[in-house]
Amino acid sequence: MRTWVAQVSLALIAMLIGITLVAQFRSQARPTALSSLPVAELSTRIQTLSDANRQLRTALAEQRDLLEAYQAAGAQGFSALDVSREEVRRIRAFAGLSGVEGQGILVRVSGSLDAIAVNDLLNELRNAGAEALSLDDVRVTASSVVVQGARTLEIDNVAIGRTFTLVAIGDADGLVAALQRPGGIVTQLEQFVRATITVSPTEALHLPATARDLAPRAAVPVE
Amino acid sequence: MGPDSETRHRRIRSGWVLSMALALGVLGFVAAAQWNSEVQRASYTTSAQQALSAQALTLEQEQEALQVQLAGVEADLTEIQHQSEGSQTALAEVNRAVGEARLAAGLTAVSGPGMVIEIADSRRTVPAGENPANYIVLADDLRDLVVALWHAGAEAITINGERLVATSSIYGVGSAVLVNTGFLSPPFRIEAIGPDDLEERFRVDAAYLGRVAQRIEAFDLEFATLSADDLQLPAFIGSTSLRWAVPVEEAP
């Protein structure tokens, strides 16, 4: 009788532990529903979404203008030609297929950065709104990544020395602020990798076109 | 009942008491931990939080609507450019260039062979005293995987449907990962089109083996890869406007 009671008691306790463990595990999982996010994270998300939607509205307005320009051109082939030429210029510049110029920042880096650190730096600049990037005169495209080569770091099969220059075209103030914010990437790299990084806003920068052929071989356009 | 039998029974009783005490101790510890996390979670549900989450939801819905509209206008533009291809030689040539540039820039949906990667947070219970962030997929992990894929020869990549282009970043924002304008949550599905041996090349790439593979192993992150014969990746839908960068190349 006593053994039976003890077994049932143990079974009950084991079940309770199981249920509580599952609940505890669930509560450790990352919150994904909006309603479960903390206030600070929601505020950041609202700010980011607002900025992104503003960009999307601008892009939509510009593309509608372009569409209207085509429609207005109608049978007048020369006007449509001008619209298309402008479209090619814009998209080639966006992809890195043509050179670009404008204001932005120069980032001079000296130190033993590894490939991850340099890729993080490029990622930070993209996130801060850089429209075009180059690393030691190599234009950075979507697929340009920094890797450890046989002797040095490389980007698009071009060697990078221990000292290199990153150029980013975009809102210079915004780019500087993003890199130099307290606890930001420059602080982290200077502390943990022992690198010296100088960031200079510059009025007139020129970035070359990529030397790579970006036409895909395996990927075909979906009609 | 002899003295030996009584001693044996006393030992058995002591064993039971010890087992029960241990089990109750574990139960108490786990229940306390659970109660603490519930208290923390309950404190989130303030009125400010409800208002903010409603605002964020509205913005997310607005973003989806804007992307649908933008995709529609892009499709109309492509249609017009295709129509004019057969009309005049000069215009046809420029519009072919538009098509090629859009393809290279990631503004065209593409199909082809490649691979799929799925990665998600660990299912393992976080041991006491360890950092829970170790057991979830971080933006760093996705960046490492993407670097390895590009280096292995990928020509087009999406993360949860977000096509990566020259201005794309992969950025951790709280518990989510921001890619282009989308807040992504796990499980993360990365699709890449590339050469037939993309998966083999990816598996031996230093960017994969260097950090993320070790984290997958150490913290038991959910991870799987699969070669695919025919993937379809959507075009990038977002802003391609250049506000600061001025093209310096003459149009063809």
Side-chain angles (χ1 to χ4, degrees):
Chain A
M1 178 70 179
R2 256 190 220 161
T3 310
W4 182 81
V5 170
Q7 279 174 347
V8 170
S9 305
L10 263 185
L12 279 172
I13 288 169
M15 192 174 76
L16 273 171
I17 290 174
I19 291 168
T20 324
L21 275 173
V22 168
Q24 173 66 10
F25 175 71
R26 281 185 183 158
S27 71
Q28 283 175 345
R30 91 166 79 197
T32 50
L34 277 176
S35 56
S36 62
L37 296 178
V39 169
E41 189 173 337
L42 278 167
S43 300
T44 309
R45 186 175 286 216
I46 286 168
Q47 181 62 50
T48 311
L49 281 166
S50 301
D51 291 345
N53 288 6
R54 198 177 311 118
Q55 283 175 21
L56 283 171
R57 276 193 293 274
T58 305
L60 183 60
E62 285 174 357
Q63 293 302 78
R64 280 182 173 149
D65 287 348
L66 187 63
L67 191 60
E68 278 176 20
Y70 270 120
Q71 285 161 344
Q76 301 167 12
F78 289 114
S79 296
L81 189 60
D82 290 341
V83 176
S84 288
R85 278 182 174 150
E86 192 50 41
E87 179 78 338
V88 175
R89 274 166 58 85
R90 186 178 63 82
I91 298 172
R92 285 178 62 83
F94 175 81
L97 289 164
S98 65
V100 285
E101 57 191 17
Q103 69 149 277
I105 59 168
L106 273 170
V107 185
R108 291 194 176 86
V109 182
S110 182
S112 51
L113 267 67
D114 62 6
I116 289 174
V118 186
N119 282 321
D120 284 355
L121 205 46
L122 291 172
N123 187 69
E124 192 77 29
L125 286 166
R126 283 173 169 144
N127 185 62
E131 292 180 351
L133 293 161
S134 73
L135 202 167
D136 273 354
D137 283 334
V138 176
R139 180 69 174 272
V140 179
T141 66
S143 57
S144 301
V145 288
V146 178
V147 294
Q148 180 62 54
R151 286 179 161 189
T152 62
L153 296 181
E154 293 175 359
I155 184 165
D156 290 353
N157 297 319
V158 177
I160 307 167
R162 274 176 59 90
T163 300
F164 61 86
T165 304
L166 262 168
V167 180
I169 289 184
D171 173 17
D173 293 340
L175 293 170
V176 170
L179 289 191
Q180 294 189 329
R181 69 186 159 83
I185 190 153
V186 167
T187 311
Q188 288 175 33
L189 292 178
E190 285 179 337
Q191 278 182 355
F192 300 116
V193 192
R194 290 186 186 169
T196 306
I197 301 172
T198 56
V199 182
S200 323
T202 308
E203 277 298 315
L205 294 164
H206 176 268
L207 270 62
T210 181
R212 292 169 56 207
D213 177 8
L214 298 184
R217 285 165 182 78
V220 295
V222 176
E223 292 299 327
Chain B
M1 188 183 288
D4 284 353
S5 169
E6 199 172 320
T7 309
R8 201 176 67 244
H9 272 101
R10 206 172 284 154
R11 272 196 199 136
I12 291 168
R13 260 205 308 279
S14 306
W16 275 114
V17 168
L18 203 62
S19 306
M20 296 282 268
L22 198 66
L24 285 168
V26 171
L27 178 62
F29 174 77
V30 179
Q34 171 64 14
W35 187 77
N36 280 338
S37 65
E38 286 298 327
V39 168
Q40 202 177 4
R41 181 167 289 193
S43 69
Y44 289 162
T45 46
T46 61
S47 56
Q49 191 226 16
Q50 283 170 4
L52 289 173
S53 62
Q55 197 181 340
L57 183 65
T58 305
L59 286 166
E60 283 187 352
Q61 287 166 344
E62 185 192 15
Q63 185 171 106
E64 276 172 33
L66 284 166
Q67 284 177 327
V68 168
Q69 290 174 59
L70 193 52
V73 176
E74 295 273 5
D76 290 346
L77 279 169
T78 307
E79 178 72 24
I80 284 184
Q81 286 157 356
H82 273 303
Q83 281 171 2
S84 63
E85 273 181 13
S87 56
Q88 297 169 46
T89 311
L91 185 58
E93 199 161 311
V94 176
N95 282 337
R96 259 197 305 278
V98 171
E100 287 167 8
R102 291 181 68 85
L103 182 62
L107 308 180
T108 305
V110 286
S111 66
M115 69 177 291
V116 179
I117 298 171
E118 286 200 343
I119 183 165
D121 297 346
S122 173
R123 287 172 187 266
R124 201 195 291 174
T125 304
V126 180
E130 274 206 46
N131 184 357
N134 287 336
Y135 292 81
I136 63 174
V137 180
L138 305 172
D140 287 351
D141 300 322
L142 299 181
R143 280 205 291 273
D144 287 352
L145 294 171
V146 164
V147 167
L149 281 169
W150 285 131
H151 191 230
E155 296 175 351
I157 299 177
T158 58
I159 304 178
N160 288 14
E162 285 288 344
R163 180 80 174 267
L164 300 184
V165 293
T167 52
S168 297
S169 63
I170 301 169
Y171 210 75
V173 181
S175 59
V177 177
L178 181 68
V179 179
N180 297 331
T181 56
F183 283 93
L184 311 182
S185 295
F188 298 101
R189 183 180 170 89
I190 304 175
E191 293 177 87
I193 291 178
D196 290 334
D197 60 348
L198 182 65
E199 191 184 7
E200 291 96 88
R201 290 159 73 161
F202 165 81
R203 284 275 182 186
V204 296
D205 195 277
Y208 166 63
L209 296 171
R211 182 171 62 175
V212 65
Q214 290 172 25
R215 274 182 35 77
I216 290 165
E217 177 76 20
F219 303 110
D220 214 7
L221 300 176
E222 301 279 303
F223 183 77
T225 64
L226 177 74
S227 268
D229 292 335
D230 188 26
L231 290 170
Q232 284 218 0
L233 272 54
F236 169 77
I237 301 295
S239 176
T240 55
S241 310
L242 299 175
R243 189 174 161 203
W244 308 94
V246 180
V248 292
E249 180 193 59
E250 286 298 311

